[in-house]
């Protein structure tokens, strides 16, 4: 837990969020500024700053984030219409919270490539 990390604080329950899923390793909550009808963030409970900080022992955890995304896509009704999973890393990608998070976006056609 990093005291100054927004998503660590959401994981700890000290900042409220609208939860979509939780298990022993992950938490998912609705984005506060949704860019699509479905916009959920899936995070590991453990603080990892960015994709660039991942190591070999994190492989299963990152796989789990994707399986949670798959489960939520079905639950939130976008599995058949389609959805996008995004992880921004670093400044050029626009990463604004330094706790790894996977965006699940869906519910409308999404342009490609992203901006
Ligand atoms: P990124 O730009 O990839 O780092 O994504 C950070 C995301 O976190 C943005 O989509 C924000 O809207 C979202 N966000 C920031 N603060 C909160 C919060 N308190 N609760 C939920 N989502 C948040
Ligand atoms: Zn954190």
């Amino acid at each position: 837990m990093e005291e100054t990390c927004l998503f660590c604080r959401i994981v700890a329950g000290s900042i409220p969020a609208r939860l979509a899923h939780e298990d022993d390793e992950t938490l998912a909550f609705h984005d506060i500024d949704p860019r699509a009808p479905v916009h959920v963030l899936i995070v590991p409970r453990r603080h990892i700053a960015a994709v660039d900080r991942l190591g070999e022992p994190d492989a299963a955890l990152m796989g789990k984030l994707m399986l949670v995304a798959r489960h939520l896509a079905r639950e939130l009704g976008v599995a058949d219409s389609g959805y996008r999973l995004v992880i921004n890393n670093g400044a050029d990608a626009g990463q604004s919270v330094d706790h790894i998070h996977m965006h699940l976006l869906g519910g409308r056609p999404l342009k490609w490539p992203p901006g």
Side-chain angles (χ1 to χ4, degrees):
M1 157 99 195
E2 301 260 320
E3 299 295 336
T4 59
C5 171
L6 176 62
F7 289 172
C8 278
R9 293 173 72 176
I10 288 178
V11 167
S14 56
I15 291 181
R18 190 154 71 90
L19 297 190
H21 171 88
E22 58 181 323
D23 61 50
D24 55 342
E25 288 183 305
T26 74
L27 193 74
F29 47 92
H30 294 270
D31 197 290
I32 204 167
D33 180 21
R35 302 307 175 103
V38 170
H39 188 175
V40 171
L41 303 175
I42 304 137
V43 309
R45 287 185 182 273
R46 180 159 59 84
H47 182 85
I48 301 170
V51 167
D52 192 58
R53 297 298 184 85
L54 288 170
E56 200 62 43
D58 303 317
L61 178 60
M62 294 310 291
K64 184 152 190 186
L65 291 191
M66 198 166 285
L67 290 176
V68 169
R70 175 183 183 273
H71 160 79
L72 284 172
R74 205 147 279 290
E75 196 168 277
L76 298 171
V78 296
D80 295 334
S81 50
Y83 56 91
R84 183 171 293 160
L85 304 179
V86 175
I87 304 180
N88 293 316
N89 182 94
D92 275 1
Q95 184 179 1
S96 62
V97 179
D98 290 338
H99 181 128
I100 219 167
H101 49 282
M102 182 180 283
H103 297 255
L104 163 61
L105 295 149
R108 66 168 173 81
L110 300 165
K111 289 196 169 52
W112 188 262

